[in-house]
Amino acid sequence: MKKLIIAIDGPSGAGKSTLSKALADSLHYTNIDTGAMFRAVALQTMRQSIDLNDEQQIEAMCRSIDIRFDRSGTEERILLNGEDVSAAIRTPDVSLLTAQVAALPVVRKTLLNLQRQMGENGGVVLEGRDIGSVVFPDAEVKFFLSATAQQRGKRRYLELKAKGIEVDLDQTIAEVEARDLADSSRQHAPLLRAADAIDIDSTSMSISEVLSKMLGIINRRMIPGTER
Ligand code: DC
């Protein structure tokens, strides 16, 4: 059976990571978390104390950086120049910096090439912000996964609470809205819904409901003659 390229784009907190992993598991495909790649670049700029306005330094860093995924264990790990940085890229400081680093054209170009290499043979689920619109405009299946900012903020609030981190619900919702604005208003590769993407609003759906809806659509695309 043909190995497809599946793109999942959408704002933060819509459930992309969970669904991308679940889809890749069900289909025996490779999951590619492109946000983790941008986070790894941000971590490297932080470690090298690179000034984000210094294009030459950024370019030099992009030329030498080595980002890969290690899927040999039960959990997928991301390696930055050979070091497992899966936990280090999730700190609030790195999250903030990533939004700025992801707006730099040279960073986007470097990761675009890498993402295309990783996905070119198909059998991949890529999740991000511009996969269906820029990275793989010919992907066989494109989902645009969204949910209201209210709902995404609430999910984030519950996630943090479950980890024992006390936060304010209204503030968490406001942070989600601020990130939406930063992601969709930047000049280079903003969050963009591809014209041929299939919209899924997960506001009042469970993960398993969204997963079975996605699998139904993918299965129809895999069997010739039944595509919509
Ligand atoms: O999905 P995430 O929260 O791990 O993404 C981290 C940051 O990277 C977020 O600010 C959006 C940005 N990003 C991007 O610009 N393009 C992608 N394909 C994926 C993430």
Side-chain angles (χ1 to χ4, degrees):
M1 206 173 293
K2 190 174 177 216
K3 290 193 154 234
L4 311 182
I5 295 177
I6 299 169
I8 308 182
D9 290 302
S12 42
K16 293 192 303 292
S17 297
T18 311
L19 282 152
S20 180
K21 281 196 196 91
L23 269 187
D25 280 350
S26 316
L27 298 164
H28 303 290
Y29 275 20
T30 303
N31 173 52
I32 301 176
D33 175 356
T34 65
M37 298 168 80
F38 282 96
R39 287 170 179 273
V41 174
L43 180 64
Q44 186 65 6
T45 63
M46 192 185 257
R47 285 179 169 180
Q48 292 188 354
S49 310
I50 294 178
D51 172 0
L52 297 190
N53 296 311
D54 185 339
E55 274 183 38
Q56 278 188 341
Q57 250 197 312
I58 301 271
E59 264 178 44
M61 187 254 319
C62 284
R63 271 197 302 276
S64 65
I65 202 164
D66 176 23
I67 295 173
R68 57 187 77 206
F69 289 98
D70 172 11
R71 302 188 174 86
S72 58
T74 44
E75 292 272 309
E76 180 180 279
R77 323 295 309 168
I78 183 157
L79 306 183
L80 169 62
N81 299 328
E83 177 195 340
D84 180 357
V85 291
S86 312
I89 59 166
R90 302 284 163 196
T91 66
D93 280 358
V94 175
S95 299
L96 269 179
L97 188 64
T98 307
Q100 296 173 46
V101 168
L104 302 173
V106 61
V107 171
R108 297 214 74 86
K109 188 160 172 271
T110 304
L111 293 188
L112 170 76
N113 292 335
L114 192 54
Q115 286 156 15
R116 284 190 177 154
Q117 266 171 34
M118 287 177 170
E120 65 189 354
N121 295 324
V124 286
V125 187
L126 297 108
E127 55 120 337
R129 305 292 194 288
D130 60 343
I131 307 301
S133 55
V134 177
V135 184
F136 283 110
D138 295 330
E140 282 87 0
V141 188
K142 299 177 188 179
F143 293 111
F144 194 84
L145 187 63
S146 61
T148 60
Q150 192 85 17
Q151 182 66 19
R152 289 182 286 124
K154 196 170 149 199
R155 285 179 191 160
R156 176 98 191 109
Y157 167 78
L158 292 173
E159 242 173 61
L160 293 171
K161 221 174 140 183
K163 285 187 194 162
I165 304 168
E166 270 311 316
V167 282
D168 179 71
L169 177 60
D170 288 337
Q171 194 191 329
T172 313
I173 293 170
E175 280 166 12
V176 166
E177 286 169 340
R179 266 183 80 179
D180 282 0
L181 189 66
D183 281 347
S184 49
S185 61
R186 67 162 174 259
Q187 204 184 342
H188 296 281
L191 169 63
L192 209 60
R193 181 193 170 285
D196 53 351
I198 300 158
D199 283 305
I200 298 183
D201 181 344
S202 73
T203 305
S204 48
M205 289 172 88
S206 68
I207 294 289
S208 62
E209 282 170 333
V210 180
L211 180 63
S212 56
K213 182 168 181 167
M214 286 179 161
L215 282 172
I217 293 166
I218 293 164
N219 285 331
R220 283 197 291 280
R221 299 247 164 137
M222 279 178 167
I223 305 164
T226 61
E227 308 113 74
R228 292 183 310 149

